[in-house]
């Protein structure tokens, strides 16, 4: 461990400090490291992976950062040297032959790594996992640090970097700031904690400029995306006395809009501003009759149980799931689950 005074109670306290110390020893002993995160990486998955990759490079560790699918366009400029590799399909058998240590970030379930999932648990490779989603430790990882009270995986990676003795440079600070700021809705969501704000303060001091970063991430949209957002808002439905708001983007709308699917990020957040809405949902037809449902909650409502009842997951305030089948049937079942949740059943 570095000279910092150990890991804070809300991230796991002395037990986490001990585990992170042991992780560091495993990292230092490794020949070659692979960092990955969940498929369709968000700002936290992307920023955390990039930051840890940059930190390991500073230590002159052979490291590769790979992800199952490119992140939304707006994040790619944070990786000007192209450290992150994107795999759209399963890599050939020998693609990561040199790697003896894998690190999975922001997800605990191997299948979440998408086309890289088969690497997790591969003989000859140890795996470490850092995740802030609630869950059980899995024996597939030699070290599995779960910190459900962490605002973002970025806060956990910052502690790992500290423990490795790396001082975050400007690029690392920017990556981690993006991770934490995006996962907290720019420090608005209920997961915004004193700790993540202290982290943000450190990262700003190290060179992350919030206004510039916000502009690059959230104020750089194509006119087509704005037009689609308008269309989605016009199609918004309010039910259950206005406590449930939802909208659908079907294949026809999506294809005619010319907007790539990854640019739909942030649409569901926009619904949260509707007065009285406690649960909001955006249903996107990602493939014919295959739907991705994003849920957000406000006030006392929670959506993780709704997502779980459809085989998905997430946090109390932000969750989602995928489902194949009939749209009408999906909407009916979703409505009844939301009604159950809102009535406290
Ligand atoms: Mn996250």
């Amino acid at each position: 461990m570095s000279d910092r005074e150990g890991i804070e109670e809300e991230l796991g306290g002395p037990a986490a400090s001990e585990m992170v110390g042991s992780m560091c020893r495993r990292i230092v002993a490794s020949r070659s490291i692979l960092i990955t995160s969940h498929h369709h990486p968000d700002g936290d998955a992307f920023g955390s992976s990039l930051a840890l990759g940059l930190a390991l490079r500073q230590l002159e560790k052979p490291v590769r950062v790979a992800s199952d699918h490119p992140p939304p366009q707006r994040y790619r400029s944070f990786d000007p040297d192209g450290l992150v590799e994107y795999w759209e399909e399963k890599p050939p058998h020998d693609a990561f032959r040199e790697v003896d240590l894998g690190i999975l970030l922001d997800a605990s379930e191997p299948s979440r790594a998408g086309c890289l999932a088969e690497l997790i648990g591969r003989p000859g490779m140890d795996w470490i996992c850092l995740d802030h989603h609630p869950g059980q430790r899995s024996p597939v990882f030699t070290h599995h640090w779960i910190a459900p009270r962490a605002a973002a995986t970025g806060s956990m990676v910052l502690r790992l970097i500290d423990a490795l003795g790396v001082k975050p440079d400007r690029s690392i600070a920017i990556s981690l700031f993006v991770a934490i700021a995006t996962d907290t809705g720019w420090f608005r969501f209920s997961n915004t904690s004193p700790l993540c704000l202290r982290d943000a303060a450190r990262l700003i001091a190290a060179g992350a400029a919030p206004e510039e970063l916000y502009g690059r991430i959230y104020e750089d949209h194509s006119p087509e995306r704005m037009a689609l957002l308008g269309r989605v808002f016009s199609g918004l439905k309010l039910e259950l006395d206005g406590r449930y708001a939802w909208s659908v983007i079907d294949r026809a709308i999506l294809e005619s809009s010319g907007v790539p699917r990854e640019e739909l990020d942030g649409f569901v957040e926009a619904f949260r501003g509707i007065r009285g809405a406690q649960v909001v949902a955006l249903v996107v037809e990602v493939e014919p009759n295959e739907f991705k449902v994003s849920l957000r909650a406000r006030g006392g409502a929670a959506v993780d149980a709704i997502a779980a009842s459809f085989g998905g997951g997430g946090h109390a305030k932000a969750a989602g799931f995928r489902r194949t089948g009939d749209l009408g049937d999906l909407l009916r079942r979703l409505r009844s689950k939301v009604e159950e949740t809102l009535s406290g059943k």
Side-chain angles (χ1 to χ4, degrees):
M1 291 294 286
S2 71
D3 53 356
R4 298 187 72 81
E5 59 282 8
I7 288 168
E8 296 84 345
E9 207 54 52
E10 69 180 89
L11 302 187
S17 296
E18 197 175 305
M19 187 192 286
V20 169
S22 164
M23 267 182 200
C24 287
R25 290 189 289 278
R26 181 64 189 85
I27 288 171
V28 170
S30 65
R31 287 189 312 274
S32 175
I33 298 171
L34 167 67
I35 299 168
T36 191
S37 62
H38 54 79
H39 61 113
H40 292 291
D42 58 9
D44 187 24
F46 178 75
S48 293
S49 303
L50 183 57
L52 186 54
L54 292 167
L56 293 176
R57 262 197 181 175
Q58 271 196 34
L59 293 174
E60 296 180 357
K61 270 282 155 201
V63 62
R64 290 168 75 180
V65 184
S67 117
D68 146 278
H69 191 272
Q73 182 66 38
R74 61 181 177 276
Y75 294 123
R76 287 177 220 172
S77 69
F78 295 109
D79 179 25
D81 301 331
L83 177 58
V84 185
E85 312 169 22
Y86 306 124
W87 291 83
E88 308 241 14
E89 52 192 58
K90 209 167 81 177
H93 191 64
D94 57 355
F96 295 96
R97 187 170 290 281
E98 78 284 7
V99 171
D100 66 328
L101 178 64
I103 304 178
L104 177 67
L105 298 176
D106 203 37
S108 291
E109 173 56 45
S111 67
R112 298 268 293 139
C115 65
L116 301 173
E118 272 188 15
L119 293 166
I120 301 174
R122 183 163 95 171
M125 226 176 143
D126 281 348
W127 276 86
I128 285 173
C129 179
L130 275 66
D131 189 14
H132 70 129
H133 299 89
Q136 296 296 314
R137 276 197 200 162
S138 158
V140 79
F141 305 108
T142 58
H143 301 78
H144 193 178
W145 182 21
I146 303 174
R149 289 167 68 201
T153 299
S155 282
M156 304 171 74
V157 167
L158 179 57
R159 275 141 195 92
L160 177 58
I161 289 174
D162 284 340
L164 285 164
V166 174
K167 193 171 175 302
D169 62 13
R170 188 166 171 273
S171 303
I172 293 175
I174 287 173
S175 303
L176 290 179
F177 189 91
V178 167
I180 297 169
T182 55
D183 249 24
T184 56
W186 227 262
F187 310 106
R188 291 174 299 137
F189 297 162
S190 60
N191 59 343
T192 304
S193 60
L195 184 67
C196 82
L197 290 168
R198 287 201 296 277
D199 290 346
R202 259 185 84 190
L203 299 169
I204 291 170
E211 188 200 7
E212 187 233 342
L213 298 175
Y214 187 90
R216 277 165 74 179
I217 296 172
Y218 296 114
E219 295 171 338
D220 190 30
H221 297 305
S222 66
E224 292 78 15
R225 181 189 181 274
M226 292 313 232
L228 177 60
L229 182 59
R231 215 169 147 179
V232 172
F233 261 112
S234 321
L236 194 73
K237 306 279 191 300
L238 287 168
E239 289 192 81
L240 307 174
D241 301 321
R243 291 178 300 157
Y244 172 42
W246 59 272
S247 193
V248 175
I249 303 179
D250 65 18
R251 292 298 297 166
I253 295 175
L254 190 58
E255 276 166 15
S256 67
S257 73
V259 177
R261 213 191 91 208
E262 72 237 31
E263 303 300 324
L264 302 183
D265 251 36
F267 273 36
V268 71
E269 271 75 25
F271 296 173
R272 291 163 54 120
I274 298 161
R275 182 183 300 149
Q278 292 175 31
V279 172
V280 299
L282 177 65
V283 179
V284 180
E285 189 178 14
V286 291
E287 298 292 338
N289 294 314
E290 187 188 329
F291 301 93
K292 179 173 183 265
V293 180
S294 303
L295 300 163
R296 297 293 181 271
R298 267 206 321 190
V303 285
D304 47 348
I306 301 175
S309 75
F310 288 95
H315 304 281
K317 300 294 170 189
F321 64 92
R322 279 170 174 267
R323 195 167 183 88
T324 307
D326 178 63
L327 175 61
D329 178 56
L330 165 61
L331 293 174
R332 273 187 300 278
R333 295 175 59 155
L334 182 55
R335 183 189 183 281
S336 90
K337 282 287 170 197
V338 171
E339 190 170 19
E340 259 176 45
T341 299
L342 290 177
S343 64
K345 271 179 219 154

